[in-house]
Amino acid sequence: MAAVVDAIGEQPYVELVGVVSCLAAVDAFTQLVGAGIAPLPDPHPGDPTPDDAIPGLKLRRAWVSTAGPRGPHHALSAAPAIQGTFNRLLDLLYIDRDDLGDLGPIRALSRTQAELVILAVSHRNECFY
């Protein structure tokens, strides 16, 4: 990973990880519901946001620099556009950030059932955030 970051830069690396993560989540979901894989959208040109334009961006106890508190909603904060896309996916596929403190049901599952599914899938995918 360090060699890739050195070769392309931290922000492009974070954006690449974010795009791949979002595509993997969307592809897995659409395949599970039988919808197949959707075609990729057209890319949008533009320059990355400069490091100094992201308040609080610094290297903490993570592989890349982040801004804000720890957690998946800030893991890609070095690339704000992809972080926003990733957060919308988290809200749709997991639980909306506004409902994180609510221990009631998540869609058709109890909170305990939903967390057990999330734990099992994360463990199976070797995702140890």
Side-chain angles (χ1 to χ4, degrees), residues 53-118:
I54 303 169
L57 186 65
K58 63 182 177 181
L59 189 58
R60 295 175 172 89
R61 296 177 62 192
W63 291 351
V64 294
S65 298
T66 59
R70 287 187 230 167
H73 288 100
H74 301 280
L76 304 170
S77 54
I82 197 63
Q83 180 70 68
T85 300
F86 186 76
N87 286 349
R88 286 189 296 282
L89 277 173
L90 280 174
D91 290 347
L92 292 169
L93 298 176
Y94 172 49
I95 183 172
D96 193 291
R97 284 167 283 172
D98 295 335
D99 296 332
L100 282 173
D102 181 2
L103 300 180
I106 300 172
R107 297 174 186 89
L109 301 175
S110 73
R111 182 67 179 254
T112 304
Q113 290 170 323
E115 294 293 347
L116 184 59
V117 169
I118 293 160

Side-chain angles (χ1 to χ4, degrees), residues 15-89:
E15 186 170 21
L16 177 63
V17 167
V19 168
V20 170
S21 298
C22 291
L23 286 174
V26 170
D27 286 352
F29 178 79
T30 56
Q31 286 179 339
L32 286 171
V33 298
I37 296 176
L40 294 173
D42 292 331
H44 296 276
D47 295 324
T49 304
D51 288 345
D52 59 358
I54 303 169
L57 186 65
K58 63 182 177 181
L59 189 58
R60 295 175 172 89
R61 296 177 62 192
W63 291 351
V64 294
S65 298
T66 59
R70 287 187 230 167
H73 288 100
H74 301 280
L76 304 170
S77 54
I82 197 63
Q83 180 70 68
T85 300
F86 186 76
N87 286 349
R88 286 189 296 282
L89 277 173

Side-chain angles (χ1 to χ4, degrees), residues 1-9 13 16:
M1 191 250 348
V4 175
V5 171
D6 289 342
I8 68 172
Y13 174 78
L16 177 63

